[in-house]
Amino acid sequence: MYDVVLLVEQELSEPDAKRVVELHQDMPDPVTYHVLVPCHNAEAGVEASISALGTADLYGPGLAGQRQDLAEAQKAIDTEAKGCSGRSVQRLRDLGQAAEGGITHDRPIDALVATVQHVHGQEVIILTRPHIVAEFFHLDWTNSARRHLGVPVLHLLEYDSKPAAAK
């Protein structure tokens, strides 16, 4: 069994799923894909934004009254992330592949390292949109993963479904 862990920024498109599967079409062992979708923490995001604006003293206590709204927002975020994971797994399965998936609220690289260790992953594929600034400073997921893992890490850019003229 050859285990590949996929860290995806958003749902795998059909072309992306095909591209990932094609990378392993000549493998002598069966391949299992483990799809990992990071899920944002609504409350932490709001608090970080307020802190970044330097207004935590003004609005910090007001967050206590917003807990219910934040819980509802988190539920919606989790539901979307689970759907993204499920649809990505289904796209791989539709191509005849063994696949499973899930979401994480942990830092993406921490979750990736834990998943690779848990499934004894032999390879990592990170699928993202281009992040020019993060990549330039080597702060992107791929460079972080390479620093933390002892397995091959491939970075693929998501398939762009928009024609060049539409951009």
Side-chain angles (χ1 to χ4, degrees), residues 45-103:
V46 170
E47 289 177 356
S49 297
I50 289 172
S51 295
L53 293 172
T55 58
D57 293 337
L58 296 174
Y59 297 106
L63 285 179
Q66 303 296 320
R67 297 282 185 234
Q68 181 62 32
D69 292 340
L70 289 172
E72 289 176 21
Q74 188 65 54
K75 186 176 179 181
I77 290 168
D78 289 353
T79 299
E80 176 57 31
K82 288 174 184 172
C84 171
S85 173
R87 290 184 298 272
S88 296
V89 166
Q90 190 57 52
R91 284 208 172 90
L92 292 166
R93 289 179 179 166
D94 288 347
L95 295 170
Q97 303 302 305
E100 61 181 31
I103 67 169

Side-chain angles (χ1 to χ4, degrees), residues 30-156:
V31 176
T32 299
Y33 295 99
H34 307 271
V35 179
L36 183 62
V37 177
C39 189
H40 300 288
N41 182 317
E43 186 172 333
V46 170
E47 289 177 356
S49 297
I50 289 172
S51 295
L53 293 172
T55 58
D57 293 337
L58 296 174
Y59 297 106
L63 285 179
Q66 303 296 320
R67 297 282 185 234
Q68 181 62 32
D69 292 340
L70 289 172
E72 289 176 21
Q74 188 65 54
K75 186 176 179 181
I77 290 168
D78 289 353
T79 299
E80 176 57 31
K82 288 174 184 172
C84 171
S85 173
R87 290 184 298 272
S88 296
V89 166
Q90 190 57 52
R91 284 208 172 90
L92 292 166
R93 289 179 179 166
D94 288 347
L95 295 170
Q97 303 302 305
E100 61 181 31
I103 67 169
T104 181
H105 294 98
D106 296 334
R107 287 183 50 235
I109 296 303
D110 293 342
L112 177 65
V113 169
T115 302
V116 168
Q117 291 172 348
H118 177 73
V119 302
H120 305 289
Q122 290 100 337
E123 181 180 332
V124 169
I125 297 176
I126 298 174
L127 212 72
T128 67
R129 298 180 307 271
H131 297 283
I132 305 302
V133 174
E135 290 171 14
F136 179 78
F137 289 107
H138 303 287
L139 300 173
D140 58 305
W141 290 348
T142 305
N143 281 295
S144 293
R146 287 182 179 138
R147 286 192 296 270
H148 290 88
L149 294 168
V151 300
V153 177
L154 175 65
H155 181 207
L156 297 176

